[in-house]
Amino acid sequence: MASSTLICETQPWKDLKAHLDEIKNTHLRNLMSDTERCKSMMLEFDNLFLDYSRQCATTDTIDKLLKLAEAARLKEKITSMFNGERINSTENRSVLHVALRASRDAVIQSDGTNVVPEVWQVLDKIRDFSERIRTGAWVGATGKALTDVIAVGIGGSFLGPLFVHTALQTDSEAIESAAGRKLRFLANVDPIDVARNITGLIPETTLVVVVSKTFTTAETMLNARTLREWISSSLGPEAVAKHMVAVSTNLTLVEKFGIDPENAFAFWDWVGGRYSVCSAVGVLPLSLQYGFPVVEKFLKGASSIDQHFHSAPFERNIPVLLGLLSVWNVSFLGYPARAILPYSQALEKFAPHIQQVSMESNGKGVSIEGVPLPFEAGEIDFGEPGTNGQHSFYQLIHQGRIIPCDFIGVAKSQQPVYLKGEVVNNHDELMSNFFAQPDALAYGKTAEQLLKENVAQHLISHKTFSGNRPSLSLLLPSLSAYNIGQLLAIYEHRVAVEGFIWGINSFDQWGVELGKSLASQVRKQLHASRKKEPVEGFNFSTTKMLTKYLEVSADVPADPSTHLPNM
């Protein structure tokens, strides 16, 4: 499958480059007046509705992008992923997060073995364990039911599960299932995060889920040892086995830590961290909070998009079209960022999760063969729920830099509010903005329009909106567990499409390693300096900063006794 030819050397890429002048001279005001064009840029699947007519693109642009997909052998690459081929070539691994939500009777191969039965073996174990915790069949060291869970993990072991948890918190079915329970996520090694997570909880009713594939991740394991001390100092060391479980593949270190290996839940090398929310990484803590039946609906939603992505023709394929449009915006129109704007407060943690999925996946400067890219790949993702973002960074989006926007709306609110005498209900007010903002970005406002409105001459340049700012709109019917799974899978596959087109490896993350290795040197120095040894082996700037830090924190004992947060 590998090829040394860069995608930018192909004729479809060159055709798109030549096509740029036509697009740059065509305003969205004109494009939006073509009803047939707009119709062709709308599609519906499983009650999801996508409208990408406000992209700076013609039907000819889409045709050329589809030809680019052919040149990149996109269909072949998608098939290779679903077939379990080792497309993550730098780590020699398959990429099979789709297997995590496959139906029990599906067949997905990795190295000649159907991995689906292994996945369901773990899912069944989670179902059984979570039911025992939730019904009180499993109790803590003092005989009390474990009603509260702290999941300890970082990066992909945290952002995805937190997004899903936050989205489910206000769903009526999930609320009923979670009655009397708490779920918290401890990610940051900052002791403040520890303090916030344990505040209001007591060890005898708390279960800690430690999520680390290798059980060696520095931040996660320090946090895990901190919570182990929190439990054992209150209940005794023997209580750890009743109050801590693991999501890991390193059973030796799990047991050494004090957790019964029987209470370790596996996942696999073919699951990348940022794609692991549908594994035990997310399914275990979410099932403990909401019950496995709710989480299974989330998995089924993701699976519905997996099947759509794998089988739908590209011109009617939501993740493929979104991925191609992102390539168009980044590599051709030169827009380096993307705003993710969900008009639902329940999706407040969606953009932070997609930041990792997208930027850790596609933040690459070389092709999958290691050839430096002569074009820009990857985008800067950020976002905030509407309408909050409108009172924050939308000013820049409307009148500053051009940033393509994803507007995500929900037809039915999880928690509707109606007030007698109001013109519209609260959700209609929210969605009024969801529908208005894309048009404001597309059409803008001209000086001529402002003159007709009798705007003072000296204010016209300040109140002019250039428009021609691309966006797309995705409307979900509701925000059920099923729909949340669909949304997750759409964005996961969109990122993969971008990487497949650019010819990069979206499934490794070597860029996070250098900082980790340098931090280990600093860690050793801090340990030595607490014992009054001088700072050595660093450049002048780092030496100065370390010295200042040590001076200000000189009251930290070199060999401290255990001290836990007190809030």
Side-chain angles (χ1 to χ4, degrees):
M1 191 177 77
S3 169
S4 59
T5 301
L6 294 173
I7 189 63
C8 60
E9 297 169 0
T10 65
Q11 191 58 47
W13 185 282
K14 294 172 184 177
D15 291 345
L16 281 161
K17 282 290 186 185
H19 178 62
L20 276 173
D21 286 341
E22 177 187 342
I23 292 301
K24 288 180 177 177
N25 293 324
T26 307
H27 199 285
L28 272 170
R29 293 186 200 112
N30 304 109
L31 293 176
M32 292 300 292
S33 67
D34 183 344
T35 302
E36 290 306 310
R37 169 192 167 275
C38 291
K39 281 183 183 177
S40 73
M41 294 183 176
M42 298 175 183
L43 69 106
E44 194 165 358
F45 168 74
D46 200 8
N47 295 317
L48 302 172
F49 189 83
L50 172 66
D51 176 3
Y52 60 96
S53 61
R54 293 175 189 80
Q55 290 287 306
C56 295
T58 64
T59 53
D60 190 31
T61 313
I62 303 302
D63 289 341
K64 291 180 187 300
L65 285 169
L66 291 170
K67 286 184 172 64
L68 184 68
E70 288 180 26
R73 302 188 321 282
L74 178 60
K75 185 66 178 175
E76 178 186 339
K77 291 175 180 178
I78 293 171
T79 300
S80 294
M81 183 177 83
F82 277 81
N83 285 348
E85 295 177 28
R86 294 176 179 251
I87 63 172
N88 179 357
S89 56
T90 62
E91 296 180 305
N92 194 29
R93 293 175 181 171
S94 302
V95 176
L96 282 178
H97 44 279
V98 294
L100 300 171
R101 54 262 189 147
S103 60
R104 196 182 287 269
D105 59 354
V107 177
I108 299 178
Q109 303 277 352
S110 178
D111 296 329
T113 301
N114 180 15
V115 301
V116 175
E118 297 177 48
V119 169
W120 275 95
Q121 187 177 4
V122 174
L123 290 176
D124 288 338
K125 183 177 178 180
I126 292 172
R127 184 201 304 264
D128 176 67
F129 179 76
S130 60
E131 285 179 359
R132 282 190 289 150
I133 293 289
R134 289 169 55 82
T135 60
W138 174 301
V139 293
T142 64
K144 290 189 176 181
L146 302 178
T147 55
D148 307 314
V149 173
I150 302 176
V152 184
I154 199 165
S157 299
F158 152 67
L159 291 164
L162 178 62
F163 143 60
V164 179
H165 169 53
T166 306
L168 285 173
Q169 274 182 315
T170 39
D171 172 70
S172 57
E173 181 185 15
I175 289 171
E176 185 177 346
S177 298
R181 307 195 63 82
K182 297 187 187 74
L183 173 60
R184 297 181 181 178
F185 292 89
L186 173 57
N188 201 331
V189 75
D190 186 339
I192 290 172
D193 205 13
V194 176
R196 288 177 174 175
N197 270 277
I198 64 176
T199 296
L201 302 184
I202 56 174
E204 60 182 340
T205 57
T206 301
L207 178 72
V208 175
V209 179
V210 183
V211 183
S212 175
K213 182 183 288 189
T214 62
F215 236 58
T216 58
T217 307
E219 303 98 323
T220 296
M221 296 317 299
L222 180 53
N223 277 335
R225 291 191 296 273
T226 303
L227 291 187
R228 181 178 63 184
E229 181 61 30
W230 178 64
I231 290 167
S232 59
S233 63
S234 174
L235 305 175
E238 68 285 349
V240 170
K242 296 289 286 181
H243 289 263
M244 299 188 82
V245 299
V247 177
S248 180
T249 55
N250 193 334
L251 297 184
T252 301
L253 289 185
V254 166
E255 186 171 23
K256 187 177 179 182
F257 184 89
I259 294 174
D260 186 342
E262 287 295 313
N263 300 325
F265 298 81
F267 59 119
W268 304 269
D269 277 345
W270 41 258
V271 182
R274 56 196 174 277
Y275 298 98
S276 66
V277 64
C278 293
S279 73
V281 168
V283 173
L284 177 58
L286 292 168
S287 294
L288 288 165
Q289 178 71 4
Y290 298 108
F292 187 84
V294 170
V295 180
E296 190 173 17
K297 291 177 182 177
F298 161 73
L299 296 176
K300 286 180 177 178
S303 182
S304 81
I305 296 298
D306 294 342
Q307 295 167 50
H308 167 72
F309 176 53
H310 195 198
S311 62
F314 286 173
E315 65 272 14
R316 306 296 295 170
N317 191 310
I318 293 174
V320 168
L321 288 168
L322 295 187
L324 289 173
L325 289 166
S326 288
V327 170
W328 172 241
N329 285 326
V330 171
S331 299
F332 294 92
L333 295 177
Y335 304 141
R338 172 174 60 199
I340 299 170
L341 309 171
Y343 275 66
S344 170
Q345 193 63 30
L347 294 175
E348 65 177 308
K349 296 299 182 182
F350 183 60
H353 175 50
I354 298 306
Q355 281 177 347
Q356 188 200 18
V357 173
S358 173
M359 295 166 74
E360 192 169 83
S361 294
N362 290 340
K364 310 290 168 62
V366 298
S367 74
I368 199 164
E369 290 86 24
V371 179
L373 298 178
F375 56 85
E376 295 295 337
E379 64 248 294
I380 303 159
D381 284 282
F382 71 99
E384 183 74 17
T387 59
N388 297 4
Q390 293 174 202
H391 297 269
S392 175
F393 51 80
Y394 277 38
Q395 169 62 45
L396 183 145
I397 291 173
H398 279 289
Q399 290 185 302
R401 293 176 178 269
I402 296 178
I403 299 175
C405 298
D406 292 358
F407 289 93
I408 303 168
V410 181
K412 294 183 178 180
S413 175
Q414 288 178 327
Q415 296 292 326
V417 171
Y418 306 101
L419 296 180
K420 185 177 180 180
E422 293 288 341
V423 176
V424 292
N425 63 59
N426 294 42
H427 190 64
D428 282 353
E429 177 65 29
L430 173 72
M431 292 300 287
S432 296
N433 290 275
F434 167 81
F435 292 113
Q437 288 292 334
D439 278 343
L441 289 166
Y443 289 88
K445 198 162 192 178
T446 66
E448 291 75 19
Q449 288 173 305
L450 292 166
L451 281 169
K452 287 180 181 178
E453 293 175 5
N454 296 317
V455 172
Q457 187 67 44
H458 72 283
L459 290 177
I460 284 179
S461 61
H462 297 282
K463 292 192 172 186
T464 297
F465 292 77
S466 64
N468 206 36
R469 291 161 186 258
S471 69
L472 58 86
S473 300
L474 180 64
L475 184 63
L476 282 63
S478 63
L479 203 57
S480 64
Y482 184 85
N483 300 135
I484 294 164
Q486 289 182 306
L487 184 61
L488 172 77
I490 286 170
Y491 274 77
E492 286 180 343
H493 295 320
R494 175 198 206 161
V495 166
V497 168
E498 293 174 68
F500 288 151
I501 298 293
W502 283 319
I504 61 181
N505 186 355
S506 299
F507 307 106
D508 64 8
Q509 58 283 330
W510 300 107
V512 304
E513 299 301 322
L514 179 58
K516 284 184 179 179
S517 64
L518 292 178
S520 68
Q521 297 174 33
V522 176
R523 189 182 302 117
K524 291 174 184 175
Q525 181 64 63
L526 289 173
H527 176 74
S529 294
R530 293 296 182 201
K531 298 181 182 295
K532 308 306 179 186
E533 293 185 22
V535 176
E536 294 178 335
F538 298 91
N539 62 49
F540 176 81
S541 295
T542 304
T543 300
K544 185 70 175 177
M545 189 69 75
L546 274 170
T547 303
K548 176 58 69 174
Y549 171 74
L550 288 161
E551 287 174 359
V552 175
S553 62
D555 57 335
V556 173
D559 189 18
S561 56
T562 297
H563 174 80
L564 294 172
N566 181 24
M567 283 182 64

